[in-house]
Amino acid sequence: MSKVHVKTGDTVIVISGKDKGKQGQVLAVCPKEGKVIVEKVNMVSKHVKPRKMGEQGGIVKAEGAMYASKVQIVCPRCKKQTRVAHKIYEDGSKGRVCAKCGEAL
């Protein structure tokens, strides 16, 4: 299994591709594929068939998966895009911190 540097609920910024510069929250993470789904980023058109009686079909806009290497976490304190650093606390627990300011993520 491969690890991904972001978790569900993190605020991230896109650093490359057609949506470069856009910010959003991570909705889903797939470590097996190394991909993430970010809200209102990488919108794709899905053709949906009606499944039940009376249900509407048509073209629906939805978020598409993108590689996790294309996003960076935004620090809640310094509001800058940053890498994730790891810190071991006095009680022996391990946590993610901002590599620039040291704030817990």
Side-chain angles (χ1 to χ4, degrees), residues 48-67:
V48 179
K49 266 187 162 176
R51 296 287 174 205
K52 299 174 188 165
M53 277 296 286
E55 190 175 287
Q56 192 73 13
I59 300 170
V60 178
K61 289 275 192 181
E63 291 95 354
M66 63 190 317
Y67 284 107

Side-chain angles (χ1 to χ4, degrees), residues 23 55 71 99:
Q23 278 192 18
E55 190 175 287
V71 297

Side-chain angles (χ1 to χ4, degrees), residues 64-100:
M66 63 190 317
Y67 284 107
S69 61
K70 290 187 170 202
V71 297
Q72 251 186 343
I73 289 185
V74 176
C75 176
R77 187 167 95 184
C78 61
K79 304 286 187 236
K80 294 179 183 173
Q81 63 188 41
T82 182
R83 292 184 312 281
V84 177
H86 296 280
K87 183 179 180 182
I88 299 171
Y89 298 106
E90 300 88 41
D91 62 345
S93 63
K94 194 173 166 184
R96 301 184 314 154
V97 294
C98 171
K100 292 185 178 178

